[in-house]
Amino acid sequence: MNAVDTATVIDMADLPMQHPRAPASAAQARARFFNSGNAFNVKLPEVPARLFAPPPEGRHGVFDCDQSRALDCGFPATTPLMLARYVRIAARDALLPLDVRATGSVWYVISGSGRLTGAVDGFAFGAGDVFLLPGASGYRIEAGAEGALLWTVGNEPQLAFERAQPAPVAGAAIDVVHYPAAEIERQFELMFSCVTRDETSGRALIFSSDRQAAARNLTPTLTLSFNTLEPGTHQRTHRHNSAAVTLVVQGEGCHSVVGDAVCPWTPWATLVTPPGAPHSHHNAGSRGARFLIVQDGGLHYHARTMGFEFLEAAG
Ligand SMILES: [Fe+2]
C-alpha cells in the first residue's frame, strides 16, 4: 500500500482544470476535467431588474431591451432566455426583411396599424392586437398612414445560447396566431363577468392556441398573460423561477417592487423581473391597470422547476 505524502496533498477544490495526458487524437485532446470541488463555483452575474422606455417619437427601427453586457452573454438578451424589443415604423414605411430567430415571438401593437406578410399568411393589424409569429426569415411589416409602434418578445437568446436554428415553418411547434384587440376585449368582459375567490390577486387573461392549449402556453417555452389590477389593490408578493418581461399597457399611479427596488410604471415601459426575485405589483391610481407579461414559464413548467410561491398572505 502506498503511503500518502501529506505534504503534497492539496485541496481538491484547488486543482486546476485537467487535460488528458497523452491524447491520441484531436477529439481526445479536447477533453477537460473538473471535480466536485471546483466545478460548481462558476458565478454568473445576476439578472438586473430594470425598466426600459420605448423609443422616443421620430426614432424608427428596432430597439433591443438589451442587457447582454450585464448578463455577460455574447448575444442580445433581456433575460437569459428572452429578448424584448420595440419596433417603430414610420407612416407607410416597411420593416423588412424581419427575421425571427426564435421558436416564436409574440407581438403587441402599441399604436398605429399595418400589415404583416412574408413567411406566413398575411394579415392586417391594429392597435391593441396581439399576434404570434413562428421563427422564420423574410417577414415584412408595413405600417399604415399613422405609422406603428410594436413591442415584441421572443426566445432568441435561448436559441443563440445553443446556436440552434428555428425549425422550418412547416415543422414548427407553433403556427401564426392573431388575437385582434376586439376579441381580447370580449375575453376581458367575459372574465370580469365572473366571480373570483381572490380579488386582490387581480384577474389575468392567458393566451394560448389550438396547438398549445393542452399546456396553456404560447410557445413551448413562453407564456403570455395580460394581467389586470383594480385601483387601490396590489398583486401580493410572490416569486417564481421563470423570468418575466412586462409591458405597461395602462397604469397611472402604479409601481412594482422587485427585490428591494421600487419601479414606478411609465407609459409603455418594459419591466424585467429576474428569475426567483420576490416581486409585487401595486395600483395606487384611480383606474384599472393592465400589463402584459411574457415569461419563460413553459420551459419551467416542462422542467418542473417553476417554483411558484406567494411570500405574502392573502389580504
Ligand atoms: Fe410574477
Side-chain angles (χ1 to χ4, degrees), residues 171-193:
I174 57 166
D175 301 308
V176 60
V177 186
H178 186 190
Y179 312 84
E183 179 60 36
I184 295 171
E185 288 307 318
R186 193 180 78 83
Q187 295 294 332
F188 269 127
E189 284 176 21
L190 176 64
M191 189 172 73
F192 274 99
S193 71

Side-chain angles (χ1 to χ4, degrees), residues 3-28:
V4 174
D5 181 351
T6 54
T8 63
V9 171
I10 64 167
D11 191 306
M12 185 172 72
D14 293 331
L15 271 180
M17 178 176 72
Q18 295 297 299
H19 295 64
R21 183 162 59 183
S25 68
Q28 289 186 18

